């Protein structure tokens, strides 16, 4: 039974899962994201990759194209995958914690040559605290002694084609990392040997330089979320939205970059955002995303949308956003949400945010 407010709860109505990438500096987080993007971009003008603000959206067709060697199903249940672009070297603990709080799933990147580092353990603890499921990308396999690259190959094919020597080096490094995780109280296993992803965390060996293992990583992310997170990923009309950045953009004034986790936003919606001097009540002037296929840092030329459905990342222009606070929620005033209640909800976020930063 449906009414005008309820959306049918079924596998037919899933939103894209949101994924963040964590791990120590230099593990290859940025490169991994670049690798997925570039390969997609190179695969054709019409590939449809949309580089969003603060996150990259990978449409399902794109993921299927990348993973066809793995003989995936012809169809995915989710419309795509939204990957949050975590700030790289400058990332602060509080930003990372916000990043992981938004996410349905995470990739924890570990350099196969270095193993676990203090920052890996910090990320691990954050993921545990948030109860966020994750997959380990054991990155830089191309640096294994005597490794022969098979660009963009599924990882099992790539490993099979290595010399005995390279295989034994790989196994040694892998065992080492599995032991290190064990010391942190975490069971891990190569993903294709893992029979119980609920109990044991999967490891996907990858190379962000050669693209080996990237198909495996993408497919596992999507398949695992589709299988185990149906309820969480069921699209709902209730807006759930987080402010990631507050930025001045030429010609647009102060804008906010948000991640819309659920629900839909419209041009002209009255919204409330948590501000340094109290709640900011304003109206969405424009909902913007970059043009598909454009470089992330290309200036200007945003696409305007009348409405945008979750999950997506969006740049919002509106008046009075100067003092908006990063990491807090965006609320829509509607026929069901009274303005006063909405203002209160918005300011509640400020408190929880401070606690959040304080406890890390
Ligand atoms: P981040 O700090 O985790 O974002 O790491 P980066 O993506 O900036 O990567 C750090 C360094 O490792 C850069 O010089 C990358 O080119 C290099 N790198 C990243 N991934 C790989 C990989 O899979 N193989 C090799 N050989 N180098 C990599």
């Amino acid at each position: 039974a449906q009414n005008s407010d309820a959306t049918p709860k079924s596998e037919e109505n899933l939103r894209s899962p949101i994924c963040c990438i964590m791990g120590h500096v230099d593990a290859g987080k940025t490169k991994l994201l670049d690798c997925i993007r570039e390969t997609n971009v190179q695969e054709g003008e019409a590939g449809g990759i949309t580089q969003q603000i603060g996150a990259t959206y990978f449409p399902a067709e794109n993921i299927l194209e990348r993973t066809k060697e793995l003989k995936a199903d012809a169809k995915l249940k989710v419309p795509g995958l939204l990957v949050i672009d975590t700030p790289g070297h400058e990332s602060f603990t509080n930003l990372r914690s916000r990043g992981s709080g938004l996410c349905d799933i995470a990739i924890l990147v570990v350099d196969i040559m270095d193993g676990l580092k203090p920052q890996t353990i910090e990320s691990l603890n954050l993921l545990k605290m948030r109860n966020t499921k994750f997959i380990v990308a054991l990155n830089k396999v191309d640096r294994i002694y005597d490794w022969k690259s098979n660009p963009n190959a599924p990882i099992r094919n790539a490993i099979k084609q290595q010399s005995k020597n390279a295989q034994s080096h790989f196994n040694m490094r892998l065992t080492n990392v599995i032991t290190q995780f064990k010391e942190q109280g975490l069971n891990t296993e190569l993903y294709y040997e893992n029979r119980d992803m609920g109990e044991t965390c999967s490891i996907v060996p990858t190379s962000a330089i050669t693209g080996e293992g990237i198909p495996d990583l993408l497919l596992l992310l999507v398949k695992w979320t589709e299988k185990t997170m149906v309820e969480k990923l069921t699209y709902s009309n209730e807006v759930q939205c987080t402010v990631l950045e507050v930025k001045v953009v030429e010609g647009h004034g102060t804008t906010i970059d948000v991640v819309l986790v659920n629900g839909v936003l419209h041009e002209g919606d009255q919204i409330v955002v948590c501000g340094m001097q109290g709640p900011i009540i304003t109206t969405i002037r424009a909902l913007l995303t970059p043009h598909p296929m454009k470089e992330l840092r290309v200036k200007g030329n945003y696409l305007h949308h009348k409405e945008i459905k979750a999950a997506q990342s969006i740049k919002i222009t509106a008046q009075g956003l100067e003092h908006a606070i990063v990491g807090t929620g965006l609320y829509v005033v509607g026929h069901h949400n009274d303005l006063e209640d909405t203002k209160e909800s918005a300011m509640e976020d400020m408190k929880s945010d401070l606690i959040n930063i304080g406890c890390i």
Side-chain angles (χ1 to χ4, degrees):
Q2 300 175 37
N3 57 43
S4 57
D5 290 328
T7 5
K9 300 237 174 233
S10 81
E11 288 192 359
E12 303 305 312
N13 198 20
L14 301 184
R15 62 169 175 85
S16 302
I18 304 175
C19 172
C20 73
I21 304 188
M22 303 181 77
H24 66 86
V25 169
D26 284 345
K29 300 181 290 295
T30 314
K31 197 79 193 160
L32 212 52
L33 204 53
D34 275 349
C35 173
I36 303 172
R37 259 189 224 133
E38 264 172 24
T39 322
N40 276 313
V41 171
Q42 282 163 1
E43 270 176 14
E45 305 282 282
I49 229 198
T50 313
Q51 297 191 337
Q52 301 289 356
I53 306 143
T56 306
Y57 182 65
F58 301 98
E61 312 85 74
N62 225 285
I63 296 170
L64 284 172
E65 178 61 28
R66 284 299 308 274
T67 56
K68 59 176 190 257
E69 273 190 77
L70 288 166
K71 298 194 175 58
D73 305 344
K75 208 170 172 302
L76 297 178
K77 292 183 191 124
V78 293
L81 178 72
L82 189 69
V83 183
I84 305 281
D85 301 328
T86 41
H89 300 257
E90 341 58 282
S91 68
F92 300 105
T93 306
N94 59 336
L95 276 180
R96 283 202 305 272
S97 74
R98 284 174 191 144
S100 74
L102 270 181
C103 292
D104 302 301
I105 192 161
I107 303 170
L108 179 61
V109 188
V110 175
D111 181 331
I112 192 167
M113 306 308 276
D114 290 349
L116 270 62
K117 293 261 192 107
Q119 242 188 325
T120 323
I121 295 166
E122 191 188 312
S123 302
L124 193 62
N125 290 335
L126 217 48
L127 291 165
K128 275 190 205 158
M129 195 172 85
R130 300 250 177 199
N131 211 6
T132 306
K133 301 285 179 215
F134 61 96
I135 293 168
V136 175
L138 192 56
N139 195 36
K140 307 198 188 183
V141 288
D142 62 289
R143 290 190 59 210
I144 293 284
Y145 176 74
D146 205 26
W147 186 270
K148 304 274 186 304
S149 293
N150 294 273
N152 304 315
I155 197 63
R156 260 183 291 187
N157 303 2
I159 292 171
K160 259 188 227 148
Q161 286 169 34
Q162 302 304 321
S163 64
K164 284 264 167 314
N165 212 347
Q167 286 191 11
S168 85
H169 274 266
F170 169 79
N171 285 329
M172 192 184 76
R173 298 274 176 193
L174 173 70
T175 309
N176 191 24
V177 168
I178 290 176
T179 308
Q180 288 182 322
F181 272 121
K182 188 100 196 155
E183 284 163 9
Q184 298 302 316
L186 185 77
N187 290 326
T188 54
E189 205 163 4
L190 269 181
Y191 90 93
Y192 47 86
E193 289 170 0
N194 190 358
R195 301 205 181 281
D196 184 0
M197 278 188 73
E199 287 295 315
T200 304
C201 181
S202 279
I203 298 178
V204 181
T206 58
S207 166
I209 301 283
T210 68
E212 289 158 298
I214 303 298
D216 310 61
L217 187 64
L218 281 173
L219 196 63
L220 190 64
L221 279 170
V222 174
K223 286 285 161 195
W224 193 32
T225 49
E226 279 184 353
K227 197 170 160 204
T228 61
M229 298 178 196
V230 171
E231 201 166 330
K232 198 174 183 192
L233 294 180
T234 298
Y235 176 81
S236 136
N237 279 336
E238 201 167 314
V239 170
Q240 193 189 335
C241 186
T242 301
V243 179
L244 276 194
E245 284 207 59
V246 181
K247 268 190 247 166
V248 177
V249 177
E250 225 181 285
H252 293 287
T254 303
T255 67
I256 49 175
D257 292 352
V258 302
V259 172
L260 180 63
V261 178
N262 227 330
V264 57
L265 292 178
H266 309 86
E267 217 181 74
D269 277 349
Q270 190 182 25
I271 55 170
V272 181
V273 181
C274 181
M276 260 152 340
Q277 285 132 15
I280 301 164
I281 303 125
T282 183
T283 305
I284 296 179
R285 196 191 299 145
L287 291 166
L288 308 172
T289 62
H291 281 279
M293 314 302 289
K294 281 261 172 89
E295 284 303 311
L296 204 60
R297 291 179 224 298
V298 167
K299 284 194 181 154
N301 274 334
Y302 293 105
L303 272 181
H304 286 247
H305 303 260
K306 285 276 170 231
E307 62 167 51
I308 297 185
K309 239 176 116 178
Q312 279 292 359
S313 63
I314 312 156
K315 181 179 282 300
I316 294 179
T317 73
Q319 280 188 330
L321 292 174
E322 293 74 20
H323 300 294
I325 300 173
V326 165
T328 58
L330 175 152
Y331 297 81
V332 177
V333 186
H335 21 276
H336 298 302
N337 313 340
D338 162 66
L339 179 61
E340 287 311 310
D341 289 348
T342 314
K343 276 159 62 177
E344 220 169 279
S345 310
M347 294 317 285
E348 277 295 309
D349 274 10
M350 171 102 165
K351 288 188 214 149
S352 55
D353 198 40
L354 285 176
I355 293 163
N356 188 358
I357 294 168
C359 75
I360 285 168

